Amino acid sequence: MKVVSYLNNLNEIEEVLKSQVSEIIIGTTGFSRFGKLSITDAEIATAKLKQHQIKTVFEWDILMTENQMDQKVRELKKVDLSLFDSIRVQDPGAYQFCVDELRHNIQLILDADA
């Protein structure tokens, strides 16, 4: 069975490693609506989780204007995305960017809370 969970802070890594989680969604403060990790902490966590064969997903679930999208793309280019197995997106522009520019698996979020 595939078990997926979120990582909210670096202190949760040890619990994740003890559990049956096979995939972790990592949200950062700049790219996720509810993410709490800095980019640096996300990269640290991802590197550690990958050592234990846990798949990692970079969450980019914010909705953006065109100007915000341009800014996020510039920020994303500074992230070591090679650490992540997938990218989880909700914004159509973010989805199109991932299709055009990245080679990651994409998890498209099609539902939204009103």
Side-chain angles (χ1 to χ4, degrees), residues 2 5 22 26 37-38 40 52 65 80 87 90 102 106:
K2 181 177 179 180
S5 184
S22 54
I26 298 180
L37 292 171
S38 69
T40 301
H52 296 274
T65 65
D80 185 1
I87 298 180
Q90 184 169 7
L102 305 177
I106 302 169

Side-chain angles (χ1 to χ4, degrees), residues 27-101:
T28 62
T29 55
F31 288 88
S32 174
R33 293 177 294 159
F34 304 109
K36 298 177 182 171
L37 292 171
S38 69
I39 294 295
T40 301
D41 285 350
E43 291 174 340
I44 290 167
T46 301
K48 187 164 188 171
L49 293 166
K50 298 298 283 181
Q51 291 174 354
H52 296 274
Q53 287 75 47
I54 297 174
K55 292 186 178 193
T56 56
V57 179
F58 183 84
E59 185 169 56
W60 185 8
D61 69 343
I62 57 173
L63 298 174
M64 300 164 285
T65 65
E66 187 173 345
N67 288 341
Q68 291 169 324
M69 174 71 186
D70 293 341
Q71 176 63 33
K72 290 301 173 189
V73 166
R74 286 191 296 276
E75 290 176 28
L76 190 67
K77 290 181 179 181
K78 298 175 186 174
V79 177
D80 185 1
L81 291 176
S82 68
L83 295 170
F84 297 90
D85 297 292
S86 303
I87 298 180
R88 182 178 171 88
V89 298
Q90 184 169 7
D91 186 271
Y95 173 77
Q96 192 61 53
F97 173 81
C98 292
V99 168
D100 293 344
E101 302 293 330

